[in-house]
Amino acid sequence: MDERNVIGGFVAAIMSNLLDFMEPLKWFLLLGFILIIVDLRFGILAAKARGEVIRPSRAIRRTANKIIDYLCWILVAGAMGKAFGIPFDVPILPSIVLLVVYGCEINSCYGNYFEAHGKKVKINIFKLFAKKADIIEVKDE
């Protein structure tokens, strides 16, 4: 057998398993990418409102770091879904894990948005699950 055929078959077998693992998580990848871009945009606007100097190298480095972090969280959520969700019949487990991770990012997006517009508003979407009616907290100065 030719060495190229063996390597090609091995790569195809590994990639098919990886694609089967990642297919249900594709929408979480898309949502994570959208949240990262939105947070980057509002973070730049908030920094400009504070009068800070925007350094593109730092923005790119932090955005790349955030992309890698979210990819790791998505892989962890998928692994938890395979390890615990399927055997214990809790198919929503990856969604719960990623809701917590993305909830922090949504709070950050809202915080940067309001800071860019000169308002001292703190949003905590986790209060929705704590049976509290008001998720918005306006800070008085």
Side-chain angles (χ1 to χ4, degrees), residues 12-71:
I14 295 296
M15 290 303 290
S16 67
N17 286 332
L18 180 65
L19 288 175
D20 285 342
F21 178 75
M22 291 299 289
E23 200 277 327
L25 303 172
K26 65 185 174 196
W27 299 113
F28 291 115
L29 285 168
L30 179 64
L31 177 63
F33 184 71
I34 290 169
L35 285 174
I36 289 168
I37 297 302
V38 168
D39 190 43
L40 174 67
R41 174 72 178 141
F42 290 147
I44 289 172
L45 292 175
K48 285 181 182 178
R50 288 189 301 263
E52 295 178 6
V53 176
I54 308 297
R55 296 189 318 227
S57 62
R58 184 170 185 219
I60 292 169
R61 185 180 68 240
R62 290 182 73 183
T63 302
N65 188 15
K66 198 176 274 194
I67 289 170
I68 292 168
D69 287 345
Y70 280 123
L71 180 62

Side-chain angles (χ1 to χ4, degrees), residues 70-99:
Y70 280 123
L71 180 62
C72 290
W73 275 112
I74 290 169
L75 292 175
V76 165
M80 286 179 67
K82 294 281 187 192
F84 301 110
I86 293 173
F88 296 117
D89 198 29
V90 186
I92 199 163
L93 185 62
S95 300
I96 293 170
V97 170
L98 289 173
L99 176 69

